[in-house]
Amino acid sequence: MKTLIIIPAYNEENSIQSVVQEIQRTVPTVDVLVINDCSTDRTLQRCKSTGIPVLSLPVNLGIGGVVQTGYLYAVENKYDIAVQMDGDGQHNPQMLAALLVPIFSGDADMVIGSRFLSDREKSGNALHLKNRWRKEMPEASFKSTAMRRMGIRFFERWIHVLSGRRITDATSGFRACNRVAMNLFTLDYAKDYPEPEAVMTALRNGLRVVEVPVSMRERQAGVSSIGRLKSIYYMFKVSLAVLVSATKPLHGSRLFGHLEATQGEKGML
């Protein structure tokens, strides 16, 4: 299947080259596209000087706008799968195989790489995949700070209350989508801190969302955009956004009509 790796990038000049090169060495059959969100450092120049495919946005859209741009690009260029990966080196390309298998096998529309699935065997939507990839998992995996883990656990419970589904790592930006999910997100995608809201949007519209256990690493360079004070705003805003997503009208025939119009090959899903 034709696969695109989407890498959102804002001020990642110190890591973007090594991240892309590692992906290309590990999975040479996939295409990579860096989407530069008006970086103020040399991210764009570093991509151009090293031949990395890059799309540079004319205005800063934030992570949601960048990822949605990637999905639009993937749909227009007839990719079967789009994978979102960070530009700071946290996402391990060796985990891509585990992420893609449920889509290759037709068992999922959206796959999320979870840092916590191998620790807590709760998520019935992914247990059938767990043992298959256990041997590929390093002994240690970076799981962020205690405060962030508390926030992730909160979103797990909040999404479960609203949807009946338990997603152990809804904030994970390491995820893969097939054509159905891509088309949904070209129609409906959050602007700020979109990961938990996107999960709720997918579940609300009946997409098959599964998780697979993955290892993650500490960022190679740069700092997180969510500081301690901003984390309070993040929790409030995203909690409300997830609630709104749980009550939105379904896209239904609009989604599949859009899919047929843009792809013309509904039978390949």
Side-chain angles (χ1 to χ4, degrees), residues 62-242:
I63 182 64
V66 171
V67 174
Q68 188 175 43
T69 298
Y71 288 135
L72 286 164
Y73 179 94
V75 167
E76 290 178 0
N77 288 277
K78 294 182 169 49
Y79 282 92
D80 300 296
I81 300 173
V83 179
Q84 179 187 343
M85 294 183 68
D86 286 351
D88 57 17
Q90 288 193 83
H91 299 154
N92 187 348
Q94 293 182 4
M95 299 291 104
L96 276 169
L99 204 69
L100 294 174
V101 161
I103 293 181
F104 284 157
S105 63
D107 294 322
D109 301 305
M110 179 180 181
V111 183
I112 301 168
S114 172
R115 291 161 283 190
F116 309 105
L117 191 61
S118 58
D119 293 342
R120 303 199 320 276
E121 298 190 7
K122 286 183 173 183
S123 187
N125 58 321
L127 288 181
H128 66 291
L129 297 169
K130 181 177 184 296
N131 291 333
R132 182 185 305 176
W133 301 103
R134 182 187 293 275
K135 293 182 180 179
E136 296 187 12
M137 294 286 290
E139 291 297 324
S141 177
F142 178 69
K143 294 181 174 64
S144 193
T145 65
M147 181 178 293
R148 291 200 177 190
R149 291 198 300 273
M150 288 176 60
I152 293 167
R153 184 65 185 273
F154 168 79
F155 286 124
E156 176 186 351
R157 292 177 173 177
W158 186 223
I159 290 173
H160 183 250
V161 166
L162 295 172
S163 70
R165 295 288 300 279
R166 193 174 293 280
I167 304 297
T168 66
D169 201 354
T171 68
S172 170
F174 190 24
R175 50 185 62 187
C177 295
N178 69 3
R179 290 184 181 180
V180 173
M182 281 190 281
N183 277 275
L184 172 62
F185 293 143
T186 63
L187 296 169
D188 187 352
Y189 204 74
K191 300 297 184 291
D192 297 320
Y193 317 121
E195 285 83 8
E197 187 176 348
V199 172
M200 191 67 247
T201 297
L203 293 173
R204 170 71 174 159
N205 284 275
L207 270 62
R208 298 166 300 165
V209 180
V210 303
E211 293 183 286
V212 295
V214 299
S215 67
M216 292 192 190
R217 307 176 292 202
E218 292 191 65
R219 60 173 59 243
Q220 295 179 9
V223 296
S224 172
S225 61
I226 306 175
R228 289 186 178 181
L229 292 178
K230 202 170 184 179
S231 63
I232 300 173
Y233 167 77
Y234 170 86
M235 290 294 295
F236 175 79
K237 183 182 186 302
V238 177
S239 298
L240 182 59
V242 170

Side-chain angles (χ1 to χ4, degrees), residues 9-47:
Y10 179 74
N11 291 349
E12 303 287 3
E13 66 172 336
N14 294 321
S15 59
I16 194 65
Q17 181 178 351
S18 61
V19 166
V20 173
Q21 289 176 343
E22 184 181 10
I23 293 171
Q24 292 173 334
R25 287 195 306 269
T26 306
V27 193
T29 57
V30 303
D31 294 336
V32 177
L33 179 67
V34 173
I35 302 181
N36 175 48
D37 194 24
C38 291
S39 296
T40 58
D41 66 358
R42 294 182 56 80
T43 297
L44 178 59
Q45 292 87 340
R46 186 64 57 88
C47 289

Side-chain angles (χ1 to χ4, degrees), residues 54-67:
V54 59
L55 175 63
S56 193
L57 301 178
V59 294
N60 182 277
L61 296 181
I63 182 64
V66 171
V67 174

